[in-house]
Amino acid sequence: MAKQIKKERIKVPEQDPKARIHNFNEVALGYTFELAKEEASRCLQCPYNFAPCIKGCPVNVNIPGFIKKILEEDIKGALEVIHKTNSLPGITGRVCPQEEQCEMNCVMGKLGDKINIGKLERFVADYAREHGIMPETEIAPKNGKRVAIVGSGPAGLTAASDLIKMGYDVTVFEALHEPGGVLIYGIPEFRLPKDIVHYEVKYLKMLGAKIETNVVIGKTKSLYDLAKEYDAVFLGTGAGTPKFLNIPGVNCKGIYSANEFLTRINLMKAFKFPEYDTPIRKGKKLAVIGAGNVAMDAARSALRVGYEEVYILYRRTREYMTAREEEIHHAEEEGVKFMFLVSPVAFIGDEDCNVKVVKLIMNRLGEPDSSGRRRPEPIPGTEFGLEVDAVVFAIGQKPNKVLYQEVPELKTTRWGTLVVDENYRTTMPGVFAGGDAVRGEATVVLAMGDGKRAAKAIDEYIKTGEWPKEIEPHNF
Amino acid sequence: MFEIVDKKVLAPNIKWIRVKAPLVVENARAGQFIVLRLHERGERIPLTLFKWHKEDGTIELVFQEVGKTTYELGSYEPGDKIMDIVGPLGKPTHIENYGTAVVVSGGVGAPIGYAVTRALKEAGNHVVSIIGFRNRQYVILEDEFKKVSDELLITTDDGSYVRKGFTTDVLKEYLENGGRADYVFTVGPVIMMKLIAKITKEYGIKTDASLNPIMVDGTGMCGACRVTVGGEIKFACVDGPDFDAHQVDFDELLMRLTEYKREEREALDRYVKGVH
Ligand SMILES: Cc1cc2nc3c(=O)[nH]c(=O)nc-3n(C[C@H](O)[C@H](O)[C@H](O)COP(=O)(O)OP(=O)(O)OC[C@H]3O[C@@H](n4cnc5c(N)ncnc54)[C@H](O)[C@@H]3O)c2cc1C
Ligand SMILES: Cc1cc2nc3c(=O)[nH]c(=O)nc-3n(C[C@H](O)[C@H](O)[C@H](O)COP(=O)(O)OP(=O)(O)OC[C@H]3O[C@@H](n4cnc5c(N)ncnc54)[C@H](O)[C@@H]3O)c2cc1C
Ligand code: SF4
Ligand code: FES
């Protein structure tokens, strides 16, 4: 280990911004084997019990462990190390906010750039997929017990994968026609190619999980049916119901929720209309309201369906934006324009109510609110109009209530999230929940972590039959 | 995949199909709908459950060919398969014994009206059905309605069958002549529902309308189907499709239905010309 340590990160090739806004292909192209090995060689191989990267990972991937295997050119080995705790590396390697997790306290940060853990994980998954390398997975003998999973987002898929490995008979029910949750309908192709999601789902099926699409629990089947037919149920239904501002003109044509806009594009391939049947509104100028990851995805997708000018309208200042730095940077490179300290107060349409103008008011920052962020306060008399052909709301989502409408014993918080204790037990015996359904909007890997720990709790419950009289609500 | 097992043409451009969809029938109730996607490149469209059969797991749908997807579906024959069907969706129509219930259906609203009429009848109501069509050629489901209604009033816009006039004229006459109505349910063209609501409001009769906005998922995750009811934003696919007709902003609904007019025409043109 006495050799010179390279301080700078090995760069990841990317598509040129000018070219990429005309296609939905992936922006970051990923490491080649050579580059991956070079980056891997920078890792200090901190001991397993100490490595801060492992602690920072919500599913505790043995990071130095898989990095070492890359150096040894043993990709199957690397994949197996990752798969011990993470069944979706092709996905997490692309969408995790690594800078706030595994990479945050990477020891290399003291000497130079932190290790690019995310891109190395992605490299392993991609290389394995492209070369047909499969991890050897140990599956316990069937134990004859059945578990139902509602929702096929990262929480549900992870719970399914872990339960299968423990010998359970697992069925996943999904409302939409394709499994994957936000991975399929929300996060755009240029950040997460859908083939990768399909591949990871296929692997899960290969392990033995049954996936039933086109089933809405609460409608097609009730939760009571599931509770009767299965030994336990896990709810990973996400936080998919969009919020709108109830201001004048909000129902004009050309005003979308980010979910609708992105679903039309990602799930229904409206960018290929009329080859695909689902249309999407075309125009020159589009404004996105909000400044999180969802807003960046909507703005960058809008450029790709052909909008020439795309604005992000945010009520606070740049430093308060919640989107990942990498996404903001990519959006800027692609020419998305940012307007800070503005809030929409009305939409004005033409005679057919096609939206034409967003009326905005300027804000100043006041006292910090409960989240510690300074609250935007409108400045009277500062209204102005911004011309647009379409608007996308990306101001947040809440859990979908379809599932619980007729299940009074399932308690929810005042934000509409499900009440669970630290073992992911809901207020209905035998029913567990995790992911965005209990956290509100969070992240892919947190949903996976929930699915994982819930699978453990489910296993324990089925083995012992124990359920507490009172559920101690846990704050996630 | 969902197999079409039977098919009939009911009127010009109005077709009836029976489809195997065993999961849908288990919990289906009057007023609910399904969302279907014909094939890999298809869009998702909503259609109401006309009838459903637990014995053999089939559902019946009646649809009008108005655009690409419904024309394409109209070209499917028994043995052909629909790729995706999900349902039942939406809240079932609220059914109780009101006394006398009047169901006003227009055009292809008739299959929805039929399902609701039958449920109201089964709940012990005296049911008066008012059904209206453009002209004699378009009259559908007459026999079906007869079986589940205590009184059946049919009308055609041009008077080519039974009588001349709109459903609104029939309802007005019925009420003016002292006809009883403790509850009104209406489904059909937006304009019709709007005018029916206006009449029943004057009479102070509780009225529900089944709304038909554009939908994508049909499960509450996109808001494409949003409507304004009593000044609030509601999602028709999960909060409806039935709403208090006196609270609905029908003009907004009508306006929103034209969102994709140009694209719809383009898609249909290509389809008719055989460009797929
Ligand atoms: C546009 C967008 C971009 C994002 N970008 C990132 C990112 O870069 N990195 C990151 O970490 N996170 C990101 N997130 C957040 C992340 O995607 C979510 O936190 C994560 O997907 C939550 O997983 P989940 O399994 O809890 O739920 P979801 O992924 O929401 O999946 C829930 C599934 O349940 C189904 N369902 C709901 N109700 C029912 C029912 N009654 N019956 C049957 N099925 C039902 C839904 O159809 C859906 O498929 C993004 C989110 C969005 C919307
Ligand atoms: C809850 C619900 C239940 C429905 N049940 C039935 C049914 O049982 N039978 C039936 O024939 N139709 C029903 N509809 C209407 C049906 O969904 C539309 O006719 C269909 O989506 C049109 O698809 P398309 O691609 O063939 O036509 P498009 O190309 O989408 O549209 C062609 C024309 O139809 C109009 N149109 C589009 N969507 C609707 C709509 N939702 N309602 C009315 N007009 C529309 C357009 O403005 C346009 O003029 C229902 C709609 C909803 C929301
Ligand atoms: S903290 Fe950084 S240097 Fe240490 S093992 Fe993890 S990735 Fe390697
Ligand atoms: S159709 Fe998407 S929310 Fe109703």
Side-chain angles (χ1 to χ4, degrees), chain A residues 358-379:
Chain A
V358 192
K359 228 171 123 189
L360 296 161
I361 191 163
M362 299 289 304
N363 296 321
R364 67 166 84 85
L365 289 183
E367 294 300 309
D369 62 14
S370 59
S371 72
R373 299 187 298 173
R374 292 178 63 194
R375 198 192 296 276
E377 292 167 357
I379 308 171

Side-chain angles (χ1 to χ4, degrees), chain A residues 293-319:
Chain A
N293 284 320
V294 180
M296 298 306 138
D297 283 346
R300 299 173 65 200
S301 299
L303 289 172
R304 287 162 174 80
V305 295
Y307 285 89
E308 291 159 16
E309 268 178 67
V310 175
Y311 293 86
I312 293 273
L313 309 178
Y314 185 42
R315 60 194 181 129
R316 292 191 168 96
T317 49
R318 164 165 229 108
E319 66 203 280

Side-chain angles (χ1 to χ4, degrees), chain A residues 124-300:
Chain A
V124 172
D126 288 358
Y127 187 91
R129 191 181 64 254
E130 284 154 17
H131 294 80
I133 298 169
M134 287 284 180
E136 309 269 337
T137 311
E138 268 182 55
I139 298 191
K142 286 263 182 225
N143 60 21
K145 302 284 183 188
R146 309 173 69 211
V147 180
I149 309 247
V150 186
S152 64
L157 293 180
T158 305
S161 140
D162 280 30
L163 286 163
I164 286 273
K165 289 183 204 163
M166 294 179 209
Y168 288 93
D169 189 345
V170 177
T171 308
V172 181
F173 296 98
E174 168 56 49
L176 292 171
H177 60 256
E178 271 189 45
V182 172
L183 306 174
I184 276 290
Y185 75 75
I187 303 178
E189 191 93 14
F190 55 82
R191 284 215 289 134
L192 176 62
K194 299 309 150 213
D195 285 350
I196 289 167
V197 185
H198 296 317
Y199 181 84
E200 309 239 346
V201 170
K202 210 163 79 195
Y203 173 70
L204 193 60
K205 282 192 188 155
M206 220 186 62
L207 294 186
K210 290 188 254 331
I211 302 192
E212 298 217 21
T213 50
N214 294 320
V215 179
V216 184
I217 302 302
K219 294 286 175 196
T220 312
K221 270 172 173 293
S222 78
L223 185 53
Y224 298 115
D225 295 339
L226 289 193
K228 247 187 273 145
E229 290 166 31
Y230 292 83
D231 295 289
V233 180
F234 175 77
L235 308 177
T237 46
T241 296
K243 294 183 196 160
F244 292 90
L245 291 174
N246 197 355
I247 54 178
V250 65
N251 292 340
C252 272
K253 287 179 286 180
I255 302 180
Y256 291 98
S257 73
N259 260 7
E260 182 187 352
F261 192 71
L262 291 169
T263 297
R264 284 180 181 272
I265 294 172
N266 293 321
L267 182 67
M268 307 309 298
K269 309 258 180 287
F271 63 93
K272 293 188 184 164
F273 180 89
E275 185 197 331
Y276 281 68
D277 293 339
T278 304
I280 193 152
R281 175 165 287 236
K282 300 269 171 69
K284 285 203 166 65
K285 279 194 188 183
L286 178 142
V288 178
I289 298 165
N293 284 320
V294 180
M296 298 306 138
D297 283 346
R300 299 173 65 200

Side-chain angles (χ1 to χ4, degrees), chain B residues 18 20 32 35 37 47 49 54 59 75-76 87 107 109 143 149 166 177 189 206-207 212 221 231 235 252 256 275:
Chain B
R18 187 165 172 143
K20 269 212 175 85
Q32 291 187 297
V35 163
R37 189 176 71 132
L47 293 175
L49 288 163
K54 284 202 182 151
I59 58 174
S75 76
Y76 281 33
D143 288 340
S149 319
F166 299 114
N177 295 334
K206 178 181 159 53
T207 305
N212 61 338
M221 58 81 104
F235 291 2
E252 180 186 275
R256 283 182 64 79
V275 195

